[in-house]
Amino acid sequence: MSEPNRAPRPDEPIPVVKGTLDLLALKALVRRPMHGFEVTSWIEERSRGRLAFDDSAVYQALYRLEKRGLLEAEWGTTENNRRARYYELTAEGRAHLSAETDRLVRYSEIVTGILTGAPSPQPA
Amino acid sequence: MSHRRESRRRFRLPRSLRDLVGRELDEEVSLHLELRARELEARGLSPEEARREAQRRFGSVEALRREARKRERTIHVRDRLGDLVRDLRFALRGLRRNPTFAAAAILTLALGIGATTAIYSVVHPVLFEPLPYPQPDRIVTVWERDGNGDRMNVGFTTYLDVAERVRSLESAAALRPWQPILTGDGSAERLDGQRVSWTFFRTLGVAPALGRDFQAEEDAPQTERVAILSHSLWRTRFGGDPEVVGRAILLDGNPTTVIGVLPADFESLLRPEARIWAPLRYDVSQSWACRSCRHIRAVARTAPGVTVDAVNREVEALAATLRQEHPTEYPQEGEAGMEVVPLQTELTREVRPALLAVLGAVALVLLVACANVSHLLLARAAQRHGNLAIRAALGESRARVVRSLLVESLVIALFGGLLGLAIAVAGVEVLVQMAPPEVPRIDQVSVDAQVLAFALALTTAAGLAFGLVPALQVTRKRLWGRLARATGSRSTIGAPRGHRAALVVAEVALTLLLLVGTGLLLQSLVRLLSQPLGFESDRLVTMQLQATGARFETDEDVRSFYDRLLAEVRAVPGVESAALTSQLPLSEDFDKYGIEFRSRPLANPEDGPSAHRYAVSSGYLRTMGIRVLRGRGLEAGDFASGPDGQGSRPVVLINDTFARRELGDTDPIGEEVLVGGGDENPWRVVVGVVADVRQVSLAAESDAVYVPNRQWPWSDALRTLVVRTEGSDAGPDRLAAVGRSVRERIRALDPDLPVTRVATYDDLVAASTARTRFALLLFEIFAGVAVVLAAIGIFGVLAGVVAEREREIGVRTALGASRHGILWMIVGRGLRLAAAGAVLGLAAAAGFGRFLESQLYGVSGLDAATYAGVTLLLLSVATVACWVPARRATRLDPVSALREE
């Protein structure tokens, strides 16, 4: 019995837009290498739980990025001495993140501008 | 980055990818679930609730598993490609850094692959490819044999007996050459063709593509004339018009109906130049169909399942019967008889021994190339084991080092193969151009892809095998560790020295073998070309003329035409003298007759000698410059009358050697001679003895009789005009100019007369030595390749020795050894190997020379001068090859060589 056109409640998590999780995972790894749970927690913290996704989707994103050579993985140990797979940005990953971030920001500005009636920014 | 990759790979390698991915994934997911559950517990959930909530939040593991597998496959491929690129870069850098090594290895491969491919490509279709007829192994040629065991053509009546009485033959056909003149549409053209019995195409198993085959009733005298065209004649002369079938064309002035056109892929192996075929139209009643009129070539197809030996037994038996039935028409003595020979054997009879020798040479060169590539890689490994040790010290795995060495070998093989392909293509072109005309099916030759692949595979495999030996040795575990500790030590590694020395010795021996063959053939050619021909060959222009057709119906028509022609030609400016002859020395004309001497009567004329018959015009001896040794030449009076003897008596000249052999010390002048059997030929009196002339080849003089052409019972329609030009300038331009003037004069006299085979004696001698020159060319190529390869081989081994013994040389230098001393130490070592190889090679060549003897002329297979000459040549080359690495040794800095320890 869903109500398709109701407005979302402000505290309800929004399902993540496809592809965004990849960028978020890359962003998580800018400072230091992390294992999968750390990446998941980092995104949850930063979004304050307002994005809805399965934990496995984060791993999907990590694997995809690794496949494309944007990340590299290595087995290491956690503080509690558990074996964990650590992910690290490659140079390509860094470049990809900054380019895609620019693109996404400009994209959402344009879309926001149109939807809210504000004048669209002039192309640089 | 490589360190991290390295650890990852090492971790992954031992298990199968799928298992590993599964295990890694499980471990990663379970850690995640555990950490999540702990977090939830901290927020107050019970352990059981926390575990379930963690799992719910995680979602599907299956999709993740698929993604992980995809990732692993992609990364795996990327890693391999990355490694390959790195190995390639490494190999190219290595080759650039050591260009001598790279050039030597690539040149070795290119020469080995290129030369063997080119030559094998030429030899293979000629010798081994099945003939282009159905069941070609059942096609045989049929021959009679004289008392010396020499093969002869068969008489038509004998052929009929073979066709009818030999049951192991399914069918048989008779053929003779035919050169009709085609007139009518366009200019007169002399065609090459064959007259054949109607069974000919059926015997070969070929059917016309257009129209129909001959029928039995068309193969008889006095029937309507029909002909079948080759595809090429049909295309070129008749524009490929299918309507030509059924149309009448004019051949020698006779209307002849075209009844068929052969398929485009038909190969006329029994007469490659033939373009038209007509029925033989013989009948046993004709005088030229007689048993002793041996001008018929016979071909047959054996019955299915019958061996050639069985056919031969039956044919021999028939020959014995025929000898008894017709005692004066067959030779009775010695090895006289009949035989069949498979067509393939027959076609390659002339060239088979030479080509087989060449194939042997191919194998040798390929072996030399393999040996060389091996040396070079061994030497190279010795040279840079320091580099390998450093890589070991840096922790590179053994597998990686081995692989990078193999990639280097493959890069060399690739370059060598490409260059080799270029050499093969160019080589095939040169060989086909140079091939003598008697090499059958030369037009079928092209670069043989299989051989190219084989040569490439073999040399590459040799390279890989020998690239692998040092790679494995260098990286052997214990040694690996030791080297890693003692970087830069110059201890001996690589294959045992004895092994490498043996390679060089073998290589030098093989090269010497080929050089001896080349030297012997070269000597033969020189001697062949310096043989006296028996006539003055400079300033001569020759051309063949054919007076056939309606205008030349009677013998007298032909005679008076040629008389007129000769008078016209003699008047051409620049012509000193001119004459006509029925056959021309060294031109492949072959016209022999049985000879009987009145003073030595024979019970069976078939057992008598035979000689070339020259029916010549006045002035022939003078024009050709053939010396009269005794008696006189032919005089005007001898040409005054016809063959019936009115006016002058029939005369003949014979050559010196023939006269001596047959008549001993008896004065031949006045002896009476019968040339050719039959009732038409009179006894002729010998009036002169002339110098021996080389008719068939430069290698031997031929017995000859010269008859005034007016005295021969019939007039030869096919004659050769010989013209001696005036003055002392006999350059090719001058000869060509006179030749053109003569042809113009002939055209003015009779525009429809075909003039063919226009040649100077330079051309004819070149053609008659084509086979020797071709064999020589092949040997030159091989020997040249082998010399280069041997030099590279010696160089490779010594370079290896110098690299290995750098420290020793440094110590010696430091202890006061002179540069000169060092130089000779290295050169001496190389020369000792070369000398050992030379001794072995000389011994092998002694055996090989005898094998080659059938191709030699005027020089023994054991000719000492040749052996000494090529040995000297090879040792000089070896010295140069030793010099380069030896010089390097003298320039080694003793301090740096020692400091490394």
Side-chain angles (χ1 to χ4, degrees):
Chain A
M1 293 297 118
S2 64
E3 298 163 81
N5 289 323
R6 72 178 171 84
R9 289 196 310 272
D11 59 337
E12 189 184 349
I14 308 170
V16 98
V17 176
K18 205 179 172 216
T20 319
L21 213 44
D22 290 23
L23 273 186
L24 296 180
L26 283 175
K27 183 73 185 173
L29 295 166
V30 164
R31 290 284 186 78
R32 63 176 180 90
M34 294 177 177
H35 58 70
F37 184 72
E38 286 177 315
V39 174
T40 316
S41 304
W42 187 88
I43 297 172
E44 274 170 6
E45 256 168 50
R46 289 302 173 103
S47 66
R48 276 170 272 145
R50 287 171 304 172
L51 291 175
F53 54 87
D54 282 349
D55 289 0
S56 66
V58 174
Y59 287 87
Q60 295 253 21
L62 289 172
Y63 292 178
R64 249 192 325 266
L65 293 167
E66 194 189 351
K67 186 177 74 186
R68 293 170 64 190
L70 303 177
L71 294 183
E72 271 185 8
E74 188 188 10
W75 286 91
T77 43
T78 67
E79 292 136 32
N80 303 326
N81 233 11
R82 292 286 312 266
R83 242 166 68 83
R85 205 162 184 261
Y86 278 91
Y87 296 88
E88 185 181 356
L89 273 185
T90 63
E92 293 99 312
R94 242 168 247 284
H96 183 79
L97 174 63
S98 81
E100 284 303 295
T101 306
D102 282 357
R103 229 167 61 88
L104 192 61
V105 167
R106 274 186 21 237
Y107 178 79
S108 58
E109 271 170 11
I110 294 167
V111 175
T112 311
I114 293 169
L115 295 179
T116 59
S120 63
Q122 292 302 307
Chain B
M1 130 172 178
S2 75
H3 185 64
R4 176 158 303 162
R5 281 265 168 83
E6 210 57 63
S7 65
R8 257 165 53 96
R9 183 173 311 102
R10 224 175 279 153
F11 182 68
R12 273 187 192 148
L13 275 176
R15 274 157 284 191
S16 97
L17 208 57
R18 209 189 169 92
D19 285 359
L20 187 68
V21 172
R23 241 189 309 262
E24 284 192 355
L25 182 81
D26 290 345
E27 195 175 351
E28 198 173 16
V29 171
S30 72
L31 177 70
H32 181 96
L33 294 176
E34 193 184 319
L35 292 175
R36 175 69 85 194
R38 203 177 294 161
E39 181 201 273
L40 292 170
E41 276 180 58
R43 288 198 209 151
L45 269 68
S46 74
E48 177 56 19
E49 278 169 339
R51 202 184 54 78
R52 253 186 293 132
E53 176 60 12
Q55 236 152 32
R56 191 193 62 77
R57 283 211 203 176
F58 194 82
S60 159
V61 183
E62 258 330 290
L64 193 55
R65 210 176 283 281
R66 275 199 302 278
E67 186 64 43
R69 267 187 228 125
K70 253 199 280 177
R71 173 200 72 194
E72 248 0 73
R73 268 197 303 273
T74 310
I75 291 178
H76 185 75
V77 169
R78 196 166 58 219
D79 280 1
R80 287 294 100 82
L81 279 177
D83 289 348
L84 187 65
V85 168
R86 232 143 30 97
D87 287 339
L88 279 176
R89 260 197 222 128
F90 179 78
L92 288 175
R93 205 168 52 225
L95 295 182
R96 260 207 310 277
R97 224 180 262 159
N98 197 342
T100 324
F101 162 77
I106 290 170
L107 191 64
T108 294
L109 285 173
L111 285 177
I113 294 170
T116 52
T117 304
I119 288 177
Y120 191 83
S121 297
V122 171
V123 172
H124 181 80
V126 172
L127 283 192
F128 303 116
E129 237 162 59
L131 302 177
Y133 306 127
Q135 296 169 293
D137 47 330
R138 286 174 53 200
I139 303 178
V140 295
T141 50
V142 185
W143 302 89
E144 288 188 55
R145 258 194 336 265
D146 68 13
N148 299 324
D150 291 335
R151 305 185 319 173
M152 303 182 290
N153 283 326
V154 299
F156 181 72
T157 308
T158 310
Y159 152 75
L160 281 184
D161 286 339
V162 169
E164 280 163 21
R165 289 157 73 168
V166 179
R167 317 183 66 134
S168 53
L169 293 178
E170 186 179 271
S171 70
L175 24 145
R176 58 169 294 190
W178 179 44
Q179 295 187 310
I181 295 168
L182 174 64
T183 47
D185 327 310
S187 64
E189 183 179 5
R190 191 174 85 180
L191 301 178
D192 247 300
Q194 284 176 306
R195 300 200 84 112
V196 296
S197 55
W198 67 278
T199 48
F200 177 62
F201 292 113
R202 289 172 174 80
T203 302
L204 293 185
V206 174
L210 212 60
R212 60 171 177 84
D213 200 349
F214 298 128
Q215 284 166 1
E217 56 272 22
E218 284 162 344
D219 188 9
Q222 314 300 332
T223 53
E224 199 202 332
R225 291 169 197 270
V226 293
I228 290 179
L229 312 178
S230 77
H231 194 266
S232 77
L233 180 63
W234 176 61
R235 306 271 324 167
T236 54
R237 183 75 194 215
F238 300 100
D241 175 12
E243 297 293 304
V244 79
V245 173
R247 209 204 298 163
I249 57 175
L250 279 178
L251 292 174
D252 291 337
N254 300 310
T256 306
T257 308
V258 175
I259 60 161
V261 176
L262 292 171
D265 61 0
F266 171 73
E267 283 183 61
S268 171
L269 295 178
L270 288 154
R271 190 169 165 85
E273 60 276 29
R275 297 197 292 160
I276 189 163
W277 289 262
L280 199 56
R281 292 153 56 93
Y282 272 24
D283 181 308
V284 283
S285 66
Q286 290 160 327
S287 63
W288 52 85
C290 77
R291 291 179 184 277
S292 56
C293 309
R294 297 186 171 88
H295 65 286
I296 293 288
R297 231 176 137 182
V299 58
R301 182 176 278 275
T302 62
V306 179
T307 65
V308 170
D309 283 345
V311 179
N312 259 325
R313 278 194 297 276
E314 204 184 339
V315 168
E316 271 318 343
L318 174 66
T321 313
L322 291 178
R323 271 207 302 277
Q324 277 175 2
E325 289 172 3
H326 310 277
T328 61
E329 288 176 278
Y330 292 97
Q332 298 284 352
E333 293 167 1
E335 298 169 37
M338 234 194 279
E339 67 189 39
V340 300
V341 179
L343 184 58
Q344 178 123 28
T345 313
E346 169 64 27
L347 291 174
T348 57
R349 196 169 57 98
E350 295 278 300
V351 291
R352 180 173 281 267
L355 291 187
L356 284 177
V358 161
L359 268 191
V362 166
L364 294 188
V365 164
L366 209 52
L367 277 179
V368 168
C370 287
N372 248 2
V373 172
S374 318
H375 288 160
L376 285 168
L377 288 171
L378 292 177
R380 170 114 168 109
Q383 250 176 31
R384 28 163 237 197
H385 75 275
N387 169 312
L388 298 180
I390 290 168
R391 288 170 63 182
L394 290 178
E396 218 168 322
S397 77
R398 194 175 165 211
R400 273 201 47 73
V401 173
V402 169
R403 200 181 52 214
S404 77
L405 289 177
L406 288 186
V407 166
E408 187 177 275
S409 304
L410 283 174
V411 166
I412 292 172
L414 183 71
F415 282 130
L418 285 178
L419 194 57
L421 176 65
I423 292 178
V425 170
V428 163
E429 205 156 294
V430 169
L431 288 173
V432 168
Q433 296 256 319
M434 288 284 300
E438 70 259 31
V439 176
R441 313 193 72 201
I442 193 77
D443 50 329
Q444 301 293 310
V445 168
S446 62
V447 172
D448 189 319
Q450 270 173 310
V451 183
L452 182 70
F454 174 74
L456 185 64
L458 189 65
T459 43
T460 308
L464 284 183
F466 287 88
L468 202 56
V469 169
L472 289 177
Q473 267 180 345
V474 163
T475 58
R476 209 160 41 205
K477 272 235 164 84
R478 203 167 45 78
L479 198 56
W480 204 214
R482 184 161 69 80
L483 283 170
R485 281 193 304 278
T487 306
S489 93
R490 290 292 194 269
S491 46
T492 305
I493 2 171
R497 282 183 196 159
H499 164 218
R500 265 187 284 163
L503 285 178
V504 166
V505 169
E507 210 168 285
V508 171
L510 295 179
T511 307
L512 194 74
L513 195 61
L514 289 168
L515 277 177
V516 165
T518 312
L520 291 176
L521 282 170
L522 193 63
Q523 291 248 24
S524 296
L525 189 66
V526 168
R527 284 187 201 193
L528 215 45
L529 290 176
S530 63
Q531 279 307 311
L533 299 174
F535 56 93
E536 307 292 328
S537 66
D538 58 335
R539 290 199 287 138
L540 285 182
V541 183
T542 74
M543 56 194 78
Q544 198 173 43
L545 312 171
Q546 187 176 7
T548 44
R551 289 161 300 147
F552 304 107
E553 208 159 295
T554 68
D555 279 350
E556 197 43 46
D557 293 338
V558 175
R559 286 201 170 99
S560 57
F561 171 76
Y562 275 124
D563 284 350
R564 246 186 4 259
L565 180 137
L566 202 51
E568 291 275 344
V569 168
R570 281 171 175 161
V572 170
V575 172
E576 184 182 287
S577 66
L580 290 160
T581 175
S582 59
Q583 60 176 334
L584 184 71
L586 296 181
S587 66
E588 293 188 349
D589 285 346
F590 191 96
D591 187 22
K592 271 181 125 172
Y593 283 73
I595 305 291
E596 200 175 339
F597 291 88
R598 178 88 93 179
S599 64
R600 282 168 171 59
L602 292 163
N604 178 5
E606 290 299 321
D607 290 332
S610 63
H612 285 276
R613 173 212 61 138
Y614 296 81
V616 300
S617 72
S618 63
Y620 177 72
L621 297 183
R622 188 161 54 84
T623 305
M624 290 291 283
I626 298 171
R627 280 179 307 131
V628 178
L629 303 177
R630 301 173 80 165
R632 63 172 177 87
L634 300 178
E635 293 167 353
D638 300 323
F639 295 91
S641 66
D644 48 356
Q646 24 164 253
S648 67
R649 58 178 184 162
V651 296
V652 65
L653 308 177
I654 70 175
N655 69 300
D656 189 33
T657 302
F658 186 37
R660 278 174 208 280
R661 196 175 55 243
E662 292 300 323
L663 300 172
D665 295 333
T666 318
D667 184 359
I669 307 294
E671 174 72 50
E672 282 187 301
V673 170
L674 193 60
V675 181
D679 308 328
E680 294 161 313
N681 271 303
W683 286 94
R684 301 166 196 275
V685 62
V686 175
V687 294
V689 176
V690 298
D692 298 338
V693 164
R694 312 221 156 207
Q695 171 65 31
V696 180
S697 79
L698 290 175
E701 72 280 341
S702 303
D703 293 339
V705 292
Y706 297 86
V707 180
N709 54 17
R710 277 269 164 188
Q711 290 185 351
W712 194 251
W714 69 82
S715 66
D716 292 273
L718 192 63
R719 299 186 191 189
T720 297
L721 174 69
V722 282
V723 170
R724 179 167 295 276
T725 57
E726 274 175 348
S728 56
D729 171 20
D733 293 345
R734 162 99 174 132
L735 292 183
V738 173
R740 268 195 306 278
S741 313
V742 168
R743 290 185 69 170
E744 270 161 36
R745 187 65 63 101
I746 293 172
R747 197 171 302 128
L749 181 71
D750 184 340
D752 285 343
L753 189 81
V755 176
T756 52
R757 205 178 71 196
V758 180
T760 67
Y761 262 96
D762 280 347
D763 305 332
L764 294 172
V765 168
S768 80
T769 53
R771 203 166 101 211
T772 309
R773 280 184 297 124
F774 186 59
L776 183 61
L777 175 76
L778 292 179
F779 269 93
E780 278 169 350
I781 292 172
F782 272 120
V785 167
V787 167
V788 172
L789 292 184
I792 292 176
I794 292 170
F795 163 80
V797 162
L798 289 189
V801 167
V802 170
E804 271 173 16
R805 294 167 68 180
E806 238 170 58
R807 199 166 61 85
E808 177 198 328
I809 293 165
V811 171
R812 281 171 189 260
T813 313
L815 291 178
S818 67
R819 298 210 150 191
H820 196 250
I822 302 268
L823 189 72
W824 281 108
M825 180 182 86
I826 304 292
V827 170
R829 189 187 157 97
L831 283 184
R832 273 200 300 282
L833 294 181
V839 169
L840 205 64
L842 285 174
F848 174 70
R850 267 197 296 280
F851 178 58
L852 196 64
E853 235 151 35
S854 68
Q855 303 293 316
L856 298 182
Y857 175 76
V859 55
S860 143
L862 297 171
D863 184 62
T866 305
Y867 280 60
V870 299
T871 308
L872 200 64
L873 172 71
L874 187 59
L875 290 180
S876 320
V877 172
T879 310
V880 174
C882 294
W883 204 263
V884 180
R887 289 265 298 191
R888 194 177 105 74
T890 63
R891 288 186 182 153
L892 283 177
D893 177 7
V895 179
S896 69
L898 289 172
R899 193 189 294 141
E900 283 177 354
E901 191 61 3

